[in-house]
Amino acid sequence: MRIKIITTGGTIDKVYFDAKSEYEVGESRVPEILRESNVTFDFVTVNLMRKDSLDLTDEDRALIRQEAERGEETRIVVTHGTDTMVRTAQALKGIPGRVIVLTGSLHPARFRTTDAVFNVAAAVTAAQVLPEGVYLAMNGRIFDPDRVHKNRERNRFEDGAEAAS
């Protein structure tokens, strides 16, 4: 089994230049994270774009979908900014024969303290064991894109039941 990693940008790949939060989305660190983790599965990385998720358009989401449909890999991880991850996940629903897991981070992978490594690990594990469909892997949990939202106050993802409490 080979997992396709599609990188689109977002906080996971941000590079900050100064204390005023000037940044750009840099080269993806995900291949490095996987190599440093000594993974024993094959993977291919497709660096599709380097965008903040707030800048993604419907055309960008169509490109992500086309890349997810392309190729023989049936297990796919998409790295993505957290602000519009749910919207992109919903745009990827309905691709037959694929397990697609979106993940990102609330702190850049380049930071010493980051959730990126943990979230990538959760996503590649989920992609290997979940049934066909689209999921989000964030904060140590797997979410259905139809029942999740980003809680900006608590800086985490939650399912619909948590939002009501």
Side-chain angles (χ1 to χ4, degrees), residues 126-165:
Q128 293 176 72
V129 299
L130 289 172
E132 177 180 314
V134 178
Y135 308 89
L136 274 71
M138 290 294 298
N139 304 112
R141 296 182 57 193
I142 305 302
F143 296 100
D144 176 333
D146 290 333
R147 298 194 46 196
V148 66
H149 75 281
K150 181 179 177 181
N151 183 328
R152 284 174 175 67
E153 282 183 26
R154 298 173 101 177
N155 205 27
R156 68 182 191 186
F157 280 75
E158 299 174 341
D159 68 22
E162 289 171 296
S165 59

PDB file of all heavy atoms in Angstrom, residues 126-165:
ATOM      1  N   ALA A 126      -5.121   6.818  10.256  1.00  0.00           N
ATOM      2  CA  ALA A 126      -6.537   6.771   9.895  1.00  0.00           C
ATOM      3  C   ALA A 126      -6.720   6.357   8.436  1.00  0.00           C
ATOM      4  O   ALA A 126      -7.607   5.556   8.116  1.00  0.00           O
ATOM      5  CB  ALA A 126      -7.189   8.127  10.156  1.00  0.00           C
ATOM      6  N   ALA A 127      -5.884   6.883   7.559  1.00  0.00           N
ATOM      7  CA  ALA A 127      -5.997   6.560   6.129  1.00  0.00           C
ATOM      8  C   ALA A 127      -5.791   5.073   5.877  1.00  0.00           C
ATOM      9  O   ALA A 127      -6.336   4.527   4.916  1.00  0.00           O
ATOM     10  CB  ALA A 127      -4.993   7.381   5.321  1.00  0.00           C
ATOM     11  N   GLN A 128      -5.038   4.421   6.726  1.00  0.00           N
ATOM     12  CA  GLN A 128      -4.761   2.996   6.543  1.00  0.00           C
ATOM     13  C   GLN A 128      -5.875   2.089   7.065  1.00  0.00           C
ATOM     14  O   GLN A 128      -6.000   0.949   6.611  1.00  0.00           O
ATOM     15  CB  GLN A 128      -3.455   2.619   7.244  1.00  0.00           C
ATOM     16  CG  GLN A 128      -2.245   3.252   6.586  1.00  0.00           C
ATOM     17  CD  GLN A 128      -0.986   2.940   7.340  1.00  0.00           C
ATOM     18  OE1 GLN A 128      -0.515   1.801   7.314  1.00  0.00           O
ATOM     19  NE2 GLN A 128      -0.450   3.938   8.025  1.00  0.00           N
ATOM     20  N   VAL A 129      -6.682   2.567   8.022  1.00  0.00           N
ATOM     21  CA  VAL A 129      -7.621   1.660   8.677  1.00  0.00           C
ATOM     22  C   VAL A 129      -9.099   2.009   8.496  1.00  0.00           C
ATOM     23  O   VAL A 129      -9.954   1.160   8.747  1.00  0.00           O
ATOM     24  CB  VAL A 129      -7.313   1.536  10.194  1.00  0.00           C
ATOM     25  CG1 VAL A 129      -5.918   0.985  10.404  1.00  0.00           C
ATOM     26  CG2 VAL A 129      -7.496   2.850  10.917  1.00  0.00           C
ATOM     27  N   LEU A 130      -9.410   3.219   8.071  1.00  0.00           N
ATOM     28  CA  LEU A 130     -10.812   3.615   7.955  1.00  0.00           C
ATOM     29  C   LEU A 130     -11.425   3.116   6.651  1.00  0.00           C
ATOM     30  O   LEU A 130     -10.722   2.913   5.651  1.00  0.00           O
ATOM     31  CB  LEU A 130     -10.944   5.137   8.019  1.00  0.00           C
ATOM     32  CG  LEU A 130     -10.684   5.756   9.381  1.00  0.00           C
ATOM     33  CD1 LEU A 130     -10.648   7.279   9.281  1.00  0.00           C
ATOM     34  CD2 LEU A 130     -11.727   5.315  10.384  1.00  0.00           C
ATOM     35  N   PRO A 131     -12.745   2.949   6.629  1.00  0.00           N
ATOM     36  CA  PRO A 131     -13.417   2.589   5.384  1.00  0.00           C
ATOM     37  C   PRO A 131     -13.486   3.784   4.428  1.00  0.00           C
ATOM     38  O   PRO A 131     -13.253   4.934   4.828  1.00  0.00           O
ATOM     39  CB  PRO A 131     -14.813   2.169   5.839  1.00  0.00           C
ATOM     40  CG  PRO A 131     -15.034   2.891   7.126  1.00  0.00           C
ATOM     41  CD  PRO A 131     -13.672   3.028   7.766  1.00  0.00           C
ATOM     42  N   GLU A 132     -13.814   3.508   3.200  1.00  0.00           N
ATOM     43  CA  GLU A 132     -13.962   4.541   2.168  1.00  0.00           C
ATOM     44  C   GLU A 132     -14.739   5.733   2.713  1.00  0.00           C
ATOM     45  O   GLU A 132     -15.737   5.582   3.405  1.00  0.00           O
ATOM     46  CB  GLU A 132     -14.714   3.911   0.994  1.00  0.00           C
ATOM     47  CG  GLU A 132     -15.029   4.827  -0.139  1.00  0.00           C
ATOM     48  CD  GLU A 132     -15.776   4.096  -1.249  1.00  0.00           C
ATOM     49  OE1 GLU A 132     -15.362   2.983  -1.635  1.00  0.00           O
ATOM     50  OE2 GLU A 132     -16.791   4.651  -1.727  1.00  0.00           O
ATOM     51  N   GLY A 133     -14.257   6.930   2.387  1.00  0.00           N
ATOM     52  CA  GLY A 133     -14.927   8.146   2.830  1.00  0.00           C
ATOM     53  C   GLY A 133     -13.935   9.269   3.050  1.00  0.00           C
ATOM     54  O   GLY A 133     -12.749   9.139   2.752  1.00  0.00           O
ATOM     55  N   VAL A 134     -14.440  10.375   3.586  1.00  0.00           N
ATOM     56  CA  VAL A 134     -13.633  11.565   3.842  1.00  0.00           C
ATOM     57  C   VAL A 134     -13.718  11.877   5.335  1.00  0.00           C
ATOM     58  O   VAL A 134     -14.799  11.857   5.922  1.00  0.00           O
ATOM     59  CB  VAL A 134     -14.131  12.769   3.013  1.00  0.00           C
ATOM     60  CG1 VAL A 134     -13.311  14.013   3.312  1.00  0.00           C
ATOM     61  CG2 VAL A 134     -14.083  12.448   1.529  1.00  0.00           C
ATOM     62  N   TYR A 135     -12.555  12.188   5.920  1.00  0.00           N
ATOM     63  CA  TYR A 135     -12.450  12.417   7.353  1.00  0.00           C
ATOM     64  C   TYR A 135     -11.499  13.573   7.637  1.00  0.00           C
ATOM     65  O   TYR A 135     -10.692  13.944   6.798  1.00  0.00           O
ATOM     66  CB  TYR A 135     -11.900  11.162   8.055  1.00  0.00           C
ATOM     67  CG  TYR A 135     -12.652   9.904   7.723  1.00  0.00           C
ATOM     68  CD1 TYR A 135     -12.291   9.121   6.626  1.00  0.00           C
ATOM     69  CD2 TYR A 135     -13.728   9.483   8.499  1.00  0.00           C
ATOM     70  CE1 TYR A 135     -12.983   7.957   6.314  1.00  0.00           C
ATOM     71  CE2 TYR A 135     -14.420   8.322   8.196  1.00  0.00           C
ATOM     72  CZ  TYR A 135     -14.043   7.561   7.097  1.00  0.00           C
ATOM     73  OH  TYR A 135     -14.725   6.414   6.789  1.00  0.00           O
ATOM     74  N   LEU A 136     -11.567  14.087   8.870  1.00  0.00           N
ATOM     75  CA  LEU A 136     -10.588  15.037   9.379  1.00  0.00           C
ATOM     76  C   LEU A 136      -9.886  14.389  10.557  1.00  0.00           C
ATOM     77  O   LEU A 136     -10.545  13.751  11.392  1.00  0.00           O
ATOM     78  CB  LEU A 136     -11.259  16.318   9.873  1.00  0.00           C
ATOM     79  CG  LEU A 136     -11.533  17.411   8.849  1.00  0.00           C
ATOM     80  CD1 LEU A 136     -12.637  17.004   7.909  1.00  0.00           C
ATOM     81  CD2 LEU A 136     -11.885  18.680   9.559  1.00  0.00           C
ATOM     82  N   ALA A 137      -8.573  14.573  10.647  1.00  0.00           N
ATOM     83  CA  ALA A 137      -7.795  14.092  11.793  1.00  0.00           C
ATOM     84  C   ALA A 137      -7.170  15.316  12.461  1.00  0.00           C
ATOM     85  O   ALA A 137      -6.246  15.921  11.917  1.00  0.00           O
ATOM     86  CB  ALA A 137      -6.716  13.116  11.343  1.00  0.00           C
ATOM     87  N   MET A 138      -7.712  15.672  13.609  1.00  0.00           N
ATOM     88  CA  MET A 138      -7.224  16.843  14.351  1.00  0.00           C
ATOM     89  C   MET A 138      -7.424  16.599  15.839  1.00  0.00           C
ATOM     90  O   MET A 138      -8.405  15.958  16.238  1.00  0.00           O
ATOM     91  CB  MET A 138      -7.995  18.107  13.945  1.00  0.00           C
ATOM     92  CG  MET A 138      -7.723  18.632  12.553  1.00  0.00           C
ATOM     93  SD  MET A 138      -6.048  19.254  12.283  1.00  0.00           S
ATOM     94  CE  MET A 138      -5.955  20.608  13.439  1.00  0.00           C
ATOM     95  N   ASN A 139      -6.519  17.116  16.633  1.00  0.00           N
ATOM     96  CA  ASN A 139      -6.643  17.095  18.088  1.00  0.00           C
ATOM     97  C   ASN A 139      -6.818  15.687  18.657  1.00  0.00           C
ATOM     98  O   ASN A 139      -7.539  15.477  19.625  1.00  0.00           O
ATOM     99  CB  ASN A 139      -7.804  17.986  18.553  1.00  0.00           C
ATOM    100  CG  ASN A 139      -7.688  19.403  18.057  1.00  0.00           C
ATOM    101  OD1 ASN A 139      -8.485  19.827  17.242  1.00  0.00           O
ATOM    102  ND2 ASN A 139      -6.691  20.137  18.505  1.00  0.00           N
ATOM    103  N   GLY A 140      -6.174  14.707  18.037  1.00  0.00           N
ATOM    104  CA  GLY A 140      -6.237  13.343  18.541  1.00  0.00           C
ATOM    105  C   GLY A 140      -7.537  12.622  18.255  1.00  0.00           C
ATOM    106  O   GLY A 140      -7.811  11.574  18.828  1.00  0.00           O
ATOM    107  N   ARG A 141      -8.330  13.165  17.335  1.00  0.00           N
ATOM    108  CA  ARG A 141      -9.623  12.555  17.012  1.00  0.00           C
ATOM    109  C   ARG A 141      -9.827  12.505  15.506  1.00  0.00           C
ATOM    110  O   ARG A 141      -9.205  13.250  14.760  1.00  0.00           O
ATOM    111  CB  ARG A 141     -10.752  13.367  17.663  1.00  0.00           C
ATOM    112  CG  ARG A 141     -10.635  13.325  19.181  1.00  0.00           C
ATOM    113  CD  ARG A 141     -11.715  14.058  19.891  1.00  0.00           C
ATOM    114  NE  ARG A 141     -13.052  13.580  19.526  1.00  0.00           N
ATOM    115  CZ  ARG A 141     -14.150  14.252  19.849  1.00  0.00           C
ATOM    116  NH1 ARG A 141     -14.074  15.390  20.497  1.00  0.00           N
ATOM    117  NH2 ARG A 141     -15.322  13.784  19.512  1.00  0.00           N
ATOM    118  N   ILE A 142     -10.745  11.641  15.115  1.00  0.00           N
ATOM    119  CA  ILE A 142     -11.162  11.537  13.714  1.00  0.00           C
ATOM    120  C   ILE A 142     -12.591  12.056  13.645  1.00  0.00           C
ATOM    121  O   ILE A 142     -13.456  11.640  14.424  1.00  0.00           O
ATOM    122  CB  ILE A 142     -11.105  10.077  13.216  1.00  0.00           C
ATOM    123  CG1 ILE A 142      -9.713   9.470  13.446  1.00  0.00           C
ATOM    124  CG2 ILE A 142     -11.520   9.998  11.747  1.00  0.00           C
ATOM    125  CD1 ILE A 142      -8.571  10.211  12.782  1.00  0.00           C
ATOM    126  N   PHE A 143     -12.836  12.963  12.692  1.00  0.00           N
ATOM    127  CA  PHE A 143     -14.134  13.609  12.579  1.00  0.00           C
ATOM    128  C   PHE A 143     -14.776  13.366  11.223  1.00  0.00           C
ATOM    129  O   PHE A 143     -14.087  13.272  10.206  1.00  0.00           O
ATOM    130  CB  PHE A 143     -13.989  15.129  12.755  1.00  0.00           C
ATOM    131  CG  PHE A 143     -13.515  15.560  14.110  1.00  0.00           C
ATOM    132  CD1 PHE A 143     -12.193  15.902  14.313  1.00  0.00           C
ATOM    133  CD2 PHE A 143     -14.400  15.644  15.178  1.00  0.00           C
ATOM    134  CE1 PHE A 143     -11.746  16.330  15.557  1.00  0.00           C
ATOM    135  CE2 PHE A 143     -13.967  16.072  16.431  1.00  0.00           C
ATOM    136  CZ  PHE A 143     -12.638  16.408  16.612  1.00  0.00           C
ATOM    137  N   ASP A 144     -16.096  13.337  11.230  1.00  0.00           N
ATOM    138  CA  ASP A 144     -16.911  13.345  10.018  1.00  0.00           C
ATOM    139  C   ASP A 144     -17.036  14.809   9.597  1.00  0.00           C
ATOM    140  O   ASP A 144     -17.429  15.657  10.412  1.00  0.00           O
ATOM    141  CB  ASP A 144     -18.283  12.754  10.356  1.00  0.00           C
ATOM    142  CG  ASP A 144     -19.271  12.784   9.211  1.00  0.00           C
ATOM    143  OD1 ASP A 144     -19.176  13.652   8.314  1.00  0.00           O
ATOM    144  OD2 ASP A 144     -20.186  11.942   9.227  1.00  0.00           O
ATOM    145  N   PRO A 145     -16.727  15.147   8.341  1.00  0.00           N
ATOM    146  CA  PRO A 145     -16.781  16.557   7.930  1.00  0.00           C
ATOM    147  C   PRO A 145     -18.172  17.179   8.006  1.00  0.00           C
ATOM    148  O   PRO A 145     -18.293  18.408   8.011  1.00  0.00           O
ATOM    149  CB  PRO A 145     -16.254  16.549   6.496  1.00  0.00           C
ATOM    150  CG  PRO A 145     -16.339  15.149   6.042  1.00  0.00           C
ATOM    151  CD  PRO A 145     -16.273  14.279   7.255  1.00  0.00           C
ATOM    152  N   ASP A 146     -19.212  16.359   8.083  1.00  0.00           N
ATOM    153  CA  ASP A 146     -20.566  16.896   8.210  1.00  0.00           C
ATOM    154  C   ASP A 146     -20.943  17.199   9.657  1.00  0.00           C
ATOM    155  O   ASP A 146     -22.000  17.764   9.911  1.00  0.00           O
ATOM    156  CB  ASP A 146     -21.585  15.918   7.625  1.00  0.00           C
ATOM    157  CG  ASP A 146     -21.495  15.838   6.112  1.00  0.00           C
ATOM    158  OD1 ASP A 146     -21.056  16.827   5.476  1.00  0.00           O
ATOM    159  OD2 ASP A 146     -21.832  14.778   5.557  1.00  0.00           O
ATOM    160  N   ARG A 147     -20.077  16.792  10.607  1.00  0.00           N
ATOM    161  CA  ARG A 147     -20.426  16.959  12.021  1.00  0.00           C
ATOM    162  C   ARG A 147     -19.315  17.610  12.826  1.00  0.00           C
ATOM    163  O   ARG A 147     -19.185  17.362  14.013  1.00  0.00           O
ATOM    164  CB  ARG A 147     -20.733  15.594  12.630  1.00  0.00           C
ATOM    165  CG  ARG A 147     -21.916  14.901  11.984  1.00  0.00           C
ATOM    166  CD  ARG A 147     -22.373  13.776  12.819  1.00  0.00           C
ATOM    167  NE  ARG A 147     -22.427  14.262  14.204  1.00  0.00           N
ATOM    168  CZ  ARG A 147     -22.488  13.482  15.259  1.00  0.00           C
ATOM    169  NH1 ARG A 147     -22.503  12.205  15.127  1.00  0.00           N
ATOM    170  NH2 ARG A 147     -22.526  13.993  16.485  1.00  0.00           N
ATOM    171  N   VAL A 148     -18.505  18.415  12.205  1.00  0.00           N
ATOM    172  CA  VAL A 148     -17.372  19.012  12.904  1.00  0.00           C
ATOM    173  C   VAL A 148     -17.288  20.502  12.608  1.00  0.00           C
ATOM    174  O   VAL A 148     -17.748  20.960  11.567  1.00  0.00           O
ATOM    175  CB  VAL A 148     -16.044  18.313  12.511  1.00  0.00           C
ATOM    176  CG1 VAL A 148     -15.707  18.543  11.052  1.00  0.00           C
ATOM    177  CG2 VAL A 148     -14.892  18.745  13.411  1.00  0.00           C
ATOM    178  N   HIS A 149     -16.714  21.225  13.537  1.00  0.00           N
ATOM    179  CA  HIS A 149     -16.422  22.648  13.299  1.00  0.00           C
ATOM    180  C   HIS A 149     -15.163  23.011  14.079  1.00  0.00           C
ATOM    181  O   HIS A 149     -14.777  22.328  15.031  1.00  0.00           O
ATOM    182  CB  HIS A 149     -17.602  23.532  13.709  1.00  0.00           C
ATOM    183  CG  HIS A 149     -17.738  23.682  15.187  1.00  0.00           C
ATOM    184  ND1 HIS A 149     -18.298  22.730  15.986  1.00  0.00           N
ATOM    185  CD2 HIS A 149     -17.339  24.676  16.019  1.00  0.00           C
ATOM    186  CE1 HIS A 149     -18.254  23.117  17.237  1.00  0.00           C
ATOM    187  NE2 HIS A 149     -17.677  24.300  17.300  1.00  0.00           N
ATOM    188  N   LYS A 150     -14.542  24.092  13.678  1.00  0.00           N
ATOM    189  CA  LYS A 150     -13.378  24.601  14.386  1.00  0.00           C
ATOM    190  C   LYS A 150     -13.868  25.593  15.437  1.00  0.00           C
ATOM    191  O   LYS A 150     -14.509  26.582  15.111  1.00  0.00           O
ATOM    192  CB  LYS A 150     -12.412  25.289  13.424  1.00  0.00           C
ATOM    193  CG  LYS A 150     -11.160  25.819  14.117  1.00  0.00           C
ATOM    194  CD  LYS A 150     -10.206  26.468  13.133  1.00  0.00           C
ATOM    195  CE  LYS A 150      -9.003  27.055  13.853  1.00  0.00           C
ATOM    196  NZ  LYS A 150      -8.082  27.714  12.911  1.00  0.00           N
ATOM    197  N   ASN A 151     -13.564  25.308  16.693  1.00  0.00           N
ATOM    198  CA  ASN A 151     -13.900  26.206  17.790  1.00  0.00           C
ATOM    199  C   ASN A 151     -12.706  27.138  17.973  1.00  0.00           C
ATOM    200  O   ASN A 151     -11.680  26.752  18.529  1.00  0.00           O
ATOM    201  CB  ASN A 151     -14.181  25.402  19.064  1.00  0.00           C
ATOM    202  CG  ASN A 151     -14.605  26.278  20.223  1.00  0.00           C
ATOM    203  OD1 ASN A 151     -14.169  27.426  20.348  1.00  0.00           O
ATOM    204  ND2 ASN A 151     -15.453  25.728  21.083  1.00  0.00           N
ATOM    205  N   ARG A 152     -12.828  28.341  17.488  1.00  0.00           N
ATOM    206  CA  ARG A 152     -11.717  29.294  17.534  1.00  0.00           C
ATOM    207  C   ARG A 152     -11.401  29.743  18.958  1.00  0.00           C
ATOM    208  O   ARG A 152     -10.246  29.975  19.293  1.00  0.00           O
ATOM    209  CB  ARG A 152     -12.021  30.491  16.644  1.00  0.00           C
ATOM    210  CG  ARG A 152     -11.838  30.165  15.175  1.00  0.00           C
ATOM    211  CD  ARG A 152     -12.280  31.307  14.271  1.00  0.00           C
ATOM    212  NE  ARG A 152     -12.013  31.072  12.876  1.00  0.00           N
ATOM    213  CZ  ARG A 152     -12.584  30.167  12.119  1.00  0.00           C
ATOM    214  NH1 ARG A 152     -13.452  29.332  12.637  1.00  0.00           N
ATOM    215  NH2 ARG A 152     -12.299  30.043  10.845  1.00  0.00           N
ATOM    216  N   GLU A 153     -12.426  29.851  19.814  1.00  0.00           N
ATOM    217  CA  GLU A 153     -12.192  30.242  21.207  1.00  0.00           C
ATOM    218  C   GLU A 153     -11.352  29.211  21.947  1.00  0.00           C
ATOM    219  O   GLU A 153     -10.466  29.568  22.715  1.00  0.00           O
ATOM    220  CB  GLU A 153     -13.525  30.420  21.939  1.00  0.00           C
ATOM    221  CG  GLU A 153     -14.227  31.715  21.640  1.00  0.00           C
ATOM    222  CD  GLU A 153     -15.509  31.847  22.456  1.00  0.00           C
ATOM    223  OE1 GLU A 153     -15.617  31.254  23.549  1.00  0.00           O
ATOM    224  OE2 GLU A 153     -16.404  32.561  21.980  1.00  0.00           O
ATOM    225  N   ARG A 154     -11.633  27.930  21.713  1.00  0.00           N
ATOM    226  CA  ARG A 154     -10.914  26.856  22.405  1.00  0.00           C
ATOM    227  C   ARG A 154      -9.730  26.337  21.592  1.00  0.00           C
ATOM    228  O   ARG A 154      -9.018  25.467  22.049  1.00  0.00           O
ATOM    229  CB  ARG A 154     -11.884  25.734  22.733  1.00  0.00           C
ATOM    230  CG  ARG A 154     -12.992  26.211  23.673  1.00  0.00           C
ATOM    231  CD  ARG A 154     -14.039  25.179  23.867  1.00  0.00           C
ATOM    232  NE  ARG A 154     -13.799  24.529  25.162  1.00  0.00           N
ATOM    233  CZ  ARG A 154     -14.584  23.605  25.648  1.00  0.00           C
ATOM    234  NH1 ARG A 154     -15.645  23.194  24.966  1.00  0.00           N
ATOM    235  NH2 ARG A 154     -14.326  23.078  26.816  1.00  0.00           N
ATOM    236  N   ASN A 155      -9.570  26.859  20.370  1.00  0.00           N
ATOM    237  CA  ASN A 155      -8.469  26.488  19.482  1.00  0.00           C
ATOM    238  C   ASN A 155      -8.393  24.981  19.249  1.00  0.00           C
ATOM    239  O   ASN A 155      -7.339  24.355  19.414  1.00  0.00           O
ATOM    240  CB  ASN A 155      -7.130  27.023  20.021  1.00  0.00           C
ATOM    241  CG  ASN A 155      -6.121  27.204  18.919  1.00  0.00           C
ATOM    242  OD1 ASN A 155      -6.469  27.417  17.763  1.00  0.00           O
ATOM    243  ND2 ASN A 155      -4.854  27.111  19.267  1.00  0.00           N
ATOM    244  N   ARG A 156      -9.532  24.415  18.861  1.00  0.00           N
ATOM    245  CA  ARG A 156      -9.604  22.981  18.598  1.00  0.00           C
ATOM    246  C   ARG A 156     -10.817  22.664  17.731  1.00  0.00           C
ATOM    247  O   ARG A 156     -11.719  23.499  17.569  1.00  0.00           O
ATOM    248  CB  ARG A 156      -9.677  22.194  19.905  1.00  0.00           C
ATOM    249  CG  ARG A 156     -10.973  22.401  20.665  1.00  0.00           C
ATOM    250  CD  ARG A 156     -10.958  21.655  21.950  1.00  0.00           C
ATOM    251  NE  ARG A 156     -12.282  21.641  22.566  1.00  0.00           N
ATOM    252  CZ  ARG A 156     -12.534  21.156  23.751  1.00  0.00           C
ATOM    253  NH1 ARG A 156     -11.563  20.633  24.469  1.00  0.00           N
ATOM    254  NH2 ARG A 156     -13.761  21.183  24.226  1.00  0.00           N
ATOM    255  N   PHE A 157     -10.827  21.439  17.215  1.00  0.00           N
ATOM    256  CA  PHE A 157     -11.960  20.964  16.439  1.00  0.00           C
ATOM    257  C   PHE A 157     -12.889  20.189  17.372  1.00  0.00           C
ATOM    258  O   PHE A 157     -12.435  19.504  18.285  1.00  0.00           O
ATOM    259  CB  PHE A 157     -11.499  20.074  15.287  1.00  0.00           C
ATOM    260  CG  PHE A 157     -11.008  20.880  14.111  1.00  0.00           C
ATOM    261  CD1 PHE A 157      -9.781  21.511  14.142  1.00  0.00           C
ATOM    262  CD2 PHE A 157     -11.794  21.021  12.977  1.00  0.00           C
ATOM    263  CE1 PHE A 157      -9.323  22.260  13.087  1.00  0.00           C
ATOM    264  CE2 PHE A 157     -11.363  21.777  11.902  1.00  0.00           C
ATOM    265  CZ  PHE A 157     -10.122  22.397  11.951  1.00  0.00           C
ATOM    266  N   GLU A 158     -14.196  20.302  17.107  1.00  0.00           N
ATOM    267  CA  GLU A 158     -15.193  19.635  17.929  1.00  0.00           C
ATOM    268  C   GLU A 158     -16.286  19.076  17.044  1.00  0.00           C
ATOM    269  O   GLU A 158     -16.567  19.614  15.966  1.00  0.00           O
ATOM    270  CB  GLU A 158     -15.823  20.622  18.917  1.00  0.00           C
ATOM    271  CG  GLU A 158     -14.848  21.239  19.885  1.00  0.00           C
ATOM    272  CD  GLU A 158     -15.470  22.311  20.761  1.00  0.00           C
ATOM    273  OE1 GLU A 158     -16.553  22.845  20.403  1.00  0.00           O
ATOM    274  OE2 GLU A 158     -14.867  22.639  21.783  1.00  0.00           O
ATOM    275  N   ASP A 159     -16.938  18.010  17.532  1.00  0.00           N
ATOM    276  CA  ASP A 159     -18.077  17.500  16.766  1.00  0.00           C
ATOM    277  C   ASP A 159     -19.337  18.241  17.165  1.00  0.00           C
ATOM    278  O   ASP A 159     -19.328  19.055  18.089  1.00  0.00           O
ATOM    279  CB  ASP A 159     -18.224  15.974  16.904  1.00  0.00           C
ATOM    280  CG  ASP A 159     -18.630  15.507  18.289  1.00  0.00           C
ATOM    281  OD1 ASP A 159     -19.201  16.297  19.068  1.00  0.00           O
ATOM    282  OD2 ASP A 159     -18.382  14.338  18.593  1.00  0.00           O
ATOM    283  N   GLY A 160     -20.432  17.966  16.471  1.00  0.00           N
ATOM    284  CA  GLY A 160     -21.686  18.699  16.688  1.00  0.00           C
ATOM    285  C   GLY A 160     -22.217  18.599  18.103  1.00  0.00           C
ATOM    286  O   GLY A 160     -22.754  19.561  18.630  1.00  0.00           O
ATOM    287  N   ALA A 161     -22.041  17.459  18.763  1.00  0.00           N
ATOM    288  CA  ALA A 161     -22.551  17.283  20.118  1.00  0.00           C
ATOM    289  C   ALA A 161     -21.816  18.209  21.089  1.00  0.00           C
ATOM    290  O   ALA A 161     -22.423  18.758  21.999  1.00  0.00           O
ATOM    291  CB  ALA A 161     -22.405  15.823  20.555  1.00  0.00           C
ATOM    292  N   GLU A 162     -20.514  18.388  20.888  1.00  0.00           N
ATOM    293  CA  GLU A 162     -19.744  19.270  21.769  1.00  0.00           C
ATOM    294  C   GLU A 162     -20.146  20.727  21.577  1.00  0.00           C
ATOM    295  O   GLU A 162     -20.102  21.509  22.516  1.00  0.00           O
ATOM    296  CB  GLU A 162     -18.249  19.121  21.499  1.00  0.00           C
ATOM    297  CG  GLU A 162     -17.694  17.800  21.964  1.00  0.00           C
ATOM    298  CD  GLU A 162     -16.273  17.613  21.494  1.00  0.00           C
ATOM    299  OE1 GLU A 162     -16.071  17.543  20.272  1.00  0.00           O
ATOM    300  OE2 GLU A 162     -15.390  17.544  22.369  1.00  0.00           O
ATOM    301  N   ALA A 163     -20.516  21.080  20.354  1.00  0.00           N
ATOM    302  CA  ALA A 163     -20.891  22.458  20.074  1.00  0.00           C
ATOM    303  C   ALA A 163     -22.150  22.855  20.835  1.00  0.00           C
ATOM    304  O   ALA A 163     -22.311  23.997  21.223  1.00  0.00           O
ATOM    305  CB  ALA A 163     -21.091  22.645  18.567  1.00  0.00           C
ATOM    306  N   ALA A 164     -23.030  21.883  21.062  1.00  0.00           N
ATOM    307  CA  ALA A 164     -24.280  22.166  21.762  1.00  0.00           C
ATOM    308  C   ALA A 164     -24.075  22.314  23.273  1.00  0.00           C
ATOM    309  O   ALA A 164     -24.884  22.916  23.949  1.00  0.00           O
ATOM    310  CB  ALA A 164     -25.282  21.051  21.489  1.00  0.00           C
ATOM    311  N   SER A 165     -22.972  21.770  23.808  1.00  0.00           N
ATOM    312  CA  SER A 165     -22.767  21.824  25.266  1.00  0.00           C
ATOM    313  C   SER A 165     -21.960  23.024  25.700  1.00  0.00           C
ATOM    314  O   SER A 165     -21.410  23.761  24.985  1.00  0.00           O
ATOM    315  CB  SER A 165     -22.082  20.555  25.753  1.00  0.00           C
ATOM    316  OG  SER A 165     -20.833  20.383  25.128  1.00  0.00           O
TER     317      SER A 165
END
